[in-house]
Amino acid sequence: MSFISKLRCAFTLGQGLLIENKALTTTDDPISFFKQWLAEAEKSGIILPESMSIATCTAVGRPSSRMVLLKEVDQKGFVFFTNYASHKAIELESNPYAALLFHWNMLQRQVRIEGRVERITQEESNAYFQTRGRGSRIGAWASHQSELLLDRETLVERVKYFEKKFAGKEVPLPEFWGGYRVIPERIEFWQGKADRLHDRFVYQSTQNGWKITRLNP
């Protein structure tokens, strides 16, 4: 870690959350709060600050987790993309709830998100898919994500097949590929503090908006 990075880390470690002086019954917007933190993570120089862990469960409650990239966040929720036949997608189809975790170590910050998951529309998926590089679009067609692959040559041959198939054409959105949106029901903001006396605030969705509570570190 560079000297500047260490200074940033030390500065952030001593900060409390701005919510500190607000009434805990306010309905402040956690999505705007998250966007502010994400922007600060981007400015800090953290590589891929949009990286997040997503945890899913089977229908009988066996958990698994992996890292993905956040591609969109707005008042409707947090969007990521995958193959609909992937391990995580199969779990989400049988148990449509997930937990996300963002960890920005240099800023001593974490954000935990829990909520219901739904597919976004095909039009929304296509709009994003067409922004991907051609190689990534070909790769989406070629990869049978999460399935057994006997050797890499098999994958390379599939890539060549789709390169030839779509030569001189736009690469269309595969029917088996698209986005999911995590609709947040609970969002926790964690700010590291000295002596492990961290700040933790939870936004819980209610019929009347967001209820904010403080947790022990």
Side-chain angles (χ1 to χ4, degrees), residues 86-129:
S86 67
H87 185 84
K88 60 180 144 336
I90 290 172
E91 292 188 344
L92 288 172
E93 294 299 327
S94 64
N95 187 352
Y97 292 89
L100 307 178
L101 172 64
F102 293 85
H103 180 216
W104 300 309
N105 184 57
M106 193 170 78
L107 298 177
Q108 292 292 291
R109 287 176 174 173
Q110 294 185 87
V111 182
R112 299 172 60 196
I113 300 151
E114 300 169 11
R116 181 170 55 85
V117 181
E118 64 180 18
R119 288 192 188 191
I120 66 175
T121 67
Q122 188 177 39
E123 290 75 20
E124 290 174 306
S125 290
N126 186 58
Y128 167 71
F129 188 74

Side-chain angles (χ1 to χ4, degrees), residues 107-165:
L107 298 177
Q108 292 292 291
R109 287 176 174 173
Q110 294 185 87
V111 182
R112 299 172 60 196
I113 300 151
E114 300 169 11
R116 181 170 55 85
V117 181
E118 64 180 18
R119 288 192 188 191
I120 66 175
T121 67
Q122 188 177 39
E123 290 75 20
E124 290 174 306
S125 290
N126 186 58
Y128 167 71
F129 188 74
Q130 298 306 327
T131 69
R132 289 163 62 99
R134 187 176 181 85
S136 293
R137 283 179 280 162
I138 292 289
W141 279 93
S143 174
H144 300 168
Q145 190 173 345
S146 299
E147 293 184 12
L148 179 66
L149 180 63
L150 295 179
D151 52 60
R152 187 166 182 84
E153 288 70 25
T154 300
L155 178 61
V156 171
E157 287 303 312
R158 288 204 298 263
V159 169
K160 291 178 180 178
Y161 169 81
F162 285 109
E163 286 177 338
K164 183 177 180 179
K165 179 176 180 178

Side-chain angles (χ1 to χ4, degrees), residues 1-210:
M1 184 182 293
S2 70
F3 176 70
I4 295 298
S5 296
K6 289 179 181 178
L7 286 179
R8 284 180 180 147
C9 185
F11 174 75
T12 307
L13 187 63
Q15 289 182 327
L17 298 184
L18 295 178
I19 198 172
E20 174 76 23
N21 297 319
K22 297 180 181 178
L24 294 182
T25 55
T26 59
T27 55
D28 288 354
D29 177 16
I31 301 300
S32 295
F33 200 174
F34 173 83
K35 287 182 176 180
Q36 174 188 327
W37 272 26
L38 179 60
E40 290 171 0
E42 291 170 346
K43 292 178 183 177
S44 75
I46 293 173
I47 298 174
L48 294 177
E50 68 273 26
S51 299
M52 61 184 186
S53 166
I54 176 168
T56 57
C57 283
T58 64
V60 296
R62 292 180 67 90
S64 61
S65 64
R66 73 290 290 162
M67 300 299 294
V68 299
L69 296 179
L70 175 70
K71 290 300 181 179
E72 181 182 339
V73 56
D74 56 24
Q75 294 300 323
K76 294 185 289 185
F78 299 76
V79 174
F80 67 95
F81 292 85
T82 189
N83 185 309
Y84 287 140
S86 67
H87 185 84
K88 60 180 144 336
I90 290 172
E91 292 188 344
L92 288 172
E93 294 299 327
S94 64
N95 187 352
Y97 292 89
L100 307 178
L101 172 64
F102 293 85
H103 180 216
W104 300 309
N105 184 57
M106 193 170 78
L107 298 177
Q108 292 292 291
R109 287 176 174 173
Q110 294 185 87
V111 182
R112 299 172 60 196
I113 300 151
E114 300 169 11
R116 181 170 55 85
V117 181
E118 64 180 18
R119 288 192 188 191
I120 66 175
T121 67
Q122 188 177 39
E123 290 75 20
E124 290 174 306
S125 290
N126 186 58
Y128 167 71
F129 188 74
Q130 298 306 327
T131 69
R132 289 163 62 99
R134 187 176 181 85
S136 293
R137 283 179 280 162
I138 292 289
W141 279 93
S143 174
H144 300 168
Q145 190 173 345
S146 299
E147 293 184 12
L148 179 66
L149 180 63
L150 295 179
D151 52 60
R152 187 166 182 84
E153 288 70 25
T154 300
L155 178 61
V156 171
E157 287 303 312
R158 288 204 298 263
V159 169
K160 291 178 180 178
Y161 169 81
F162 285 109
E163 286 177 338
K164 183 177 180 179
K165 179 176 180 178
F166 298 125
K169 310 177 197 175
E170 284 298 316
V171 181
L173 173 71
E175 293 182 358
F176 53 80
W177 195 96
Y180 282 103
R181 176 178 288 111
V182 179
I183 303 168
E185 298 173 355
R186 183 182 189 275
I187 304 178
E188 177 186 331
F189 293 88
W190 182 100
Q191 174 68 69
K193 298 276 285 182
D195 299 322
R196 299 189 180 274
L197 300 177
H198 314 307
D199 277 338
R200 297 176 63 188
F201 283 92
V202 173
Y203 286 76
Q204 185 71 47
S205 179
T206 72
Q207 291 184 342
N208 299 316
W210 293 97

